[in-house]
Amino acid sequence: MKTKELSQLKTRPVMATVILTAGIALLLVSAFIGIAVGAADIDLATVWNALFHYDRTLTTNQIIWELRIPRVLADMMVGAAFAVAGAVMQGMTRNPLADSGLLGLNAGSAFMIAVCFAFFPGLSYNSLIFFSFLGAAIGCVLVFGVSALVKGGLSPTRLVLAGAAVASLLTALSEGIAIYFKLSQDLAFWFAGGVAGVKWSQIAVVWPWLLGALFAAILISKSVTILSLGDDIAVGLGQNTTRTKLLSMLIVLILAGLAVSVVGPVGFIGLIVPHLVRYMVGVDYRWIIPCSAIVGALLTLYADIGARMVNPPYETPISVIFALIGVPFFLYVARKERRSL
């Protein structure tokens, strides 16, 4: 019965295969471009030589290995993480406007960063990553707890309302701490978002968790597809909807929580990418999730490249780039008649 239901969904597997294969190839080419572009322009031949014939005595090679490569890897990782988290959220809640912010992850992370700046100003960057993720987890738990206070509390509407309420509360607390302890400038820098300061040590901490969560999202993609048909249909097909939602939220927490801890509360990636992918490949999340990872990585990488080129040698915050794209897109989606995911 499940197979019959899924076979009736509108899907474009050929297009999805093209996106996956061509996207991976384009991602490799784009990575070279991302390594070359910056305040110090480096030609592609130098990038190639640095990758395969590293010479630590050359300044350009040091820039490539210590600054540019970690930055490009961070772009791809957080882009894929935000996009897949948004896709899972939209499928789970059947809400076309859902992204990681819906679970209070961004607000929770910002709140914990404000606490760290106010009370533990000497923390290392790695420690800030940990506390940022912890704040994202707190936000997620609060949203889940508020939603689960009543029977049937994990409905899409209650999740959205609980997420908005918790996010507003945590944002207000963050701003209050920032005003009282005069941290507005420090928090503004973090809120701007970006990957300029990412080092190999941060990459080493987050990549195994992100890779594992991406793989887990692909494994549950069939369940997310069934859940996107509605709770009644999912239950009728024998799915344990509560277990699927809990597992989905755990995956979203790991993906979006770690991404926020690395790049800051960058918005709209998880909103834009799943919509674009769904338009191209159909409504089967077995295709949407892996394609979203590729498209999200590409979009974030090119947004970061654009952020470096807008006003060189200064950098435009990556959140501004996504806001310029995301706000009109959000308004467009919000005005559309709601359709089945």
Side-chain angles (χ1 to χ4, degrees):
M1 184 64 177
K2 291 183 182 181
T3 304
K4 181 180 178 181
E5 289 283 347
L6 293 178
S7 65
Q8 295 175 350
L9 295 175
K10 182 181 178 183
T11 58
R12 303 182 186 92
V14 175
M15 176 61 72
T17 303
V18 170
I19 291 174
L20 290 174
T21 54
I24 291 173
L26 181 58
L27 199 57
L28 294 175
V29 175
S30 302
F32 275 91
I33 298 174
I35 294 172
V37 173
D41 286 330
I42 303 173
D43 59 80
L44 295 178
T46 302
V47 173
W48 181 270
N49 288 330
L51 290 175
F52 297 100
H53 306 285
Y54 177 62
D55 185 352
R56 67 177 60 221
T57 63
L58 298 177
T59 302
T60 53
N61 284 19
Q62 293 178 11
I63 293 174
I64 290 170
W65 274 97
E66 299 302 324
L67 299 177
R68 299 284 177 83
I69 294 179
R71 180 170 187 163
V72 166
L73 291 176
D75 282 330
M76 294 188 290
M77 287 193 305
V78 301
F82 274 129
V84 171
V88 173
M89 283 298 302
Q90 290 177 17
M92 181 185 72
T93 65
R94 304 182 70 225
N95 181 353
L97 299 178
D99 66 359
S100 60
L102 179 67
L103 284 182
L105 299 176
N106 293 357
S109 180
F111 169 70
M112 191 56 71
I113 290 294
V115 171
C116 290
F117 284 170
F119 300 103
F120 311 102
L123 287 178
S124 65
Y125 190 83
N126 283 348
S127 297
L128 286 177
I129 287 181
F130 170 77
F131 281 105
S132 175
F133 178 78
L134 179 62
I138 292 172
C140 182
V141 170
L142 287 175
V143 172
F144 175 74
V146 172
S147 300
L149 287 176
V150 295
K151 185 178 180 180
L154 289 181
S155 66
T157 302
R158 285 198 178 94
L159 274 175
V160 171
L161 294 176
V166 170
S168 298
L169 171 63
L170 293 176
T171 300
L173 292 174
S174 302
E175 293 176 351
I177 292 173
I179 293 172
Y180 185 82
F181 290 94
K182 299 179 181 180
L183 300 172
S184 298
Q185 186 172 359
D186 294 332
L187 282 181
F189 179 78
W190 187 80
F191 272 117
V195 291
V198 175
K199 306 297 182 184
W200 282 111
S201 57
Q202 286 87 53
I203 298 291
V205 170
V206 302
W207 81 263
W209 295 93
L210 289 180
L211 186 62
L214 288 172
F215 183 67
I218 293 173
L219 290 179
I220 69 164
S221 58
K222 183 177 179 180
S223 297
V224 175
T225 301
I226 296 173
L227 195 61
S228 71
L229 300 175
D231 285 3
D232 293 338
I233 295 177
V235 171
L237 293 174
Q239 184 176 107
N240 187 329
T241 57
T242 300
R243 182 178 62 189
T244 302
K245 289 178 181 179
L246 287 173
L247 184 57
S248 297
M249 284 192 285
L250 177 61
I251 291 172
V252 170
L253 170 62
I254 295 173
L255 289 173
L258 286 177
V260 169
S261 69
V262 172
V263 75
V266 177
F268 298 110
I269 303 174
L271 171 67
I272 297 171
V273 174
H275 275 280
L276 295 177
V277 172
R278 194 180 301 112
Y279 175 78
M280 292 185 287
V281 308
V283 296
D284 191 341
Y285 282 83
R286 291 175 293 182
W287 292 113
I288 291 174
I289 288 176
C291 290
S292 292
I294 299 297
V295 176
L298 279 169
L299 183 62
T300 306
L301 179 56
Y302 276 104
D304 187 37
I305 292 173
R308 302 179 225 172
M309 298 177 64
V310 170
N311 186 30
Y314 305 102
E315 293 191 11
T316 303
I318 193 173
S319 59
V320 174
I321 303 297
F322 277 113
L324 291 174
I325 304 171
V327 170
F329 189 88
F330 177 86
L331 296 175
Y332 167 74
V333 174
R335 293 190 61 181
K336 282 181 61 179
E337 182 179 357
R338 182 170 178 174
R339 299 177 180 177
S340 174
L341 296 180

